[in-house]
Amino acid sequence: MNEAHPHEATNRHIPISVLDLAMITQGSTAAQSFRNTLDLAQHAERWGYRRFWLAEHHNMPGVASAATSVVIGHVAAGTSTIRVGSGGIMLPNHAPLMIAEQFGTLESLHPGRIDLGLGRAPGSDQLAARALRRGLASSGDDFPELLAELRGYLNPALGNRPLGVRAIPGEGLDIPIWLLGSSGFSAQLAGQLGLPFAFASHFAPDYLLPALELYRSGFRPSDTLENPHAMVAVNVFAAETDEEAYYLSTSMQLQFLNIIRGRSGMMSPPVRNMDEYWTEHEKAMVQRQLSFALVGGKATIRRRLDEILTLTQADELIATSSIYDHQARLRSLELFAEVVKEAGAAE
């Protein structure tokens, strides 16, 4: 399968997707977060988003997408055209055979609509990682071997699977595999294998440009892709005014602040004055983490969109919009879709 295309003369007319963590907000429940996730996916489908991806995280009170394959099935069953997938499955947490079977099942139920994005990090703290891996002692260094085994189950012609073991369902199905990363490791591997690559610049912006260079410079054409295809993740906080958008973004700022302080919890409501919560040093750290965010009204979002696309030459963008109020999050992603559509129409 080859969904990618070489760069066009302009970067503005670009596919956009949604990355969701099924966030649990203060005072809410996982059940409500799943209802919100499906509602968001249904709106994203109507607004023209290409993909709706869900991330695997564990032992996090504010994230409900731990059983990622199950949530993907829920979203795919409630939509009809948008591609649904993982952003990503943390492969060292799982036996490759099980992932081949799970995504083979999803693809069989929803043909032509399932993406398999893979990462090598645990998606959790070390205690949860040990609990997930049950003494396998995987550090992520064996990710290339796990990936080769998984690909072998889906396409036996590649080899790399244990003799006599088959993934049913899964074998022979065309399930696009993406490599995800926040450093250069997966960028290099994706380039060597000729696979599409997605970078987690929504939380690791410092390594974005070096990783894209590694990916593109080391890319080898494959049966999957003739040219490199890079997707860049961005935080989007769009509203009717710049001031309202910044206010909505403070929930995410508080999340990053808690991470810096070694805390975890449910998403907090936005606040009017972040200076009451952080030190100057913490403020600088949070702002650095959000350096690839689009925050503002439509005009500001349009300017920032142009800057990011010019800088990264991204083939796709995937937006995460971690906003406390569900209706405000819907509006944020609706406005972002409008900006991208209007930019494309103006070419």
Side-chain angles (χ1 to χ4, degrees), residues 21 23 57 200-205 233-237 249-268 274 277-278 281-293 295 320 322:
L21 278 68
M23 299 292 293
H57 290 285
S201 37
H202 61 302
F203 69 81
V234 292
N235 292 285
V236 173
F237 305 95
S249 76
T250 59
S251 291
M252 189 73 243
Q253 293 180 35
L254 290 168
Q255 289 288 99
F256 276 124
L257 183 59
N258 283 333
I259 292 171
I260 290 169
R261 293 175 175 176
R263 304 172 184 170
S264 63
M266 298 180 179
M267 176 171 284
S268 306
M274 279 297 299
Y277 296 87
W278 55 22
H281 178 64
E282 290 171 333
K283 177 180 179 179
M285 293 177 68
V286 171
Q287 289 179 337
R288 189 178 185 93
Q289 292 291 101
L290 289 169
S291 57
F292 276 88
V295 185
T320 181
S322 297

Side-chain angles (χ1 to χ4, degrees), residues 37-264:
T37 284
L38 180 56
D39 185 52
L40 177 60
Q42 291 168 340
H43 279 84
E45 184 172 72
R46 291 197 291 273
W47 295 330
Y49 282 87
R50 174 175 285 189
R51 313 175 196 278
F52 192 93
W53 281 7
L54 290 134
E56 176 187 347
H57 290 285
H58 302 279
N59 201 30
M60 294 186 177
V63 177
S65 56
T68 316
S69 299
V70 178
V71 187
I72 290 170
H74 171 64
V75 171
T79 53
S80 58
T81 59
I82 195 168
R83 299 191 65 89
V84 188
S86 56
I89 291 290
M90 301 296 105
L91 189 54
N93 292 342
H94 309 276
L97 176 61
M98 293 186 67
I99 297 303
E101 291 170 340
Q102 289 173 13
F103 278 77
T105 300
L106 289 167
E107 175 66 18
S108 298
L109 290 169
H110 310 285
R113 295 183 53 215
I114 301 300
D115 292 329
L116 176 50
L118 299 168
R120 62 186 284 263
S124 60
D125 55 41
Q126 289 304 309
L127 289 174
R130 283 195 290 271
L132 284 164
R133 296 169 188 176
R134 295 186 178 274
L136 293 179
S138 173
S139 64
D141 293 339
D142 58 350
F143 180 74
E145 291 75 22
L146 296 173
L147 173 62
E149 183 181 343
L150 171 58
R151 296 181 75 201
Y153 288 126
L154 299 176
N155 181 4
L158 295 174
N160 303 316
R161 64 186 173 101
L163 290 175
V165 181
R166 302 170 62 189
I168 309 295
E171 185 178 294
L173 295 180
D174 184 14
I175 304 171
I177 290 178
W178 291 68
L179 297 195
L180 281 54
S182 57
S183 66
F185 184 97
S186 291
Q188 286 183 301
L189 184 60
Q192 291 167 4
L193 297 175
L195 295 174
F197 175 63
F199 191 86
S201 37
H202 61 302
F203 69 81
D206 290 349
Y207 300 101
L208 171 60
L209 297 181
L212 291 178
E213 173 60 25
L214 280 172
Y215 171 60
R216 289 168 176 151
S217 64
F219 184 84
R220 301 173 186 170
S222 68
D223 291 340
T224 302
L225 288 177
E226 295 178 2
N227 301 286
H229 189 84
M231 180 157 58
V232 170
V234 292
N235 292 285
V236 173
F237 305 95
E240 307 305 327
T241 66
D242 289 358
E243 294 74 18
E244 181 66 12
Y246 180 81
Y247 169 67
L248 295 175
S249 76
T250 59
S251 291
M252 189 73 243
Q253 293 180 35
L254 290 168
Q255 289 288 99
F256 276 124
L257 183 59
N258 283 333
I259 292 171
I260 290 169
R261 293 175 175 176
R263 304 172 184 170
S264 63

Side-chain angles (χ1 to χ4, degrees), residues 235 290-295 298-311:
N235 292 285
L290 289 169
S291 57
F292 276 88
L294 296 89
V295 185
K298 288 178 69 172
T300 300
I301 294 290
R302 171 69 179 271
R303 288 193 298 270
R304 186 63 179 136
L305 174 67
D306 287 345
E307 292 170 358
I308 289 174
L309 292 177
T310 299
L311 183 64

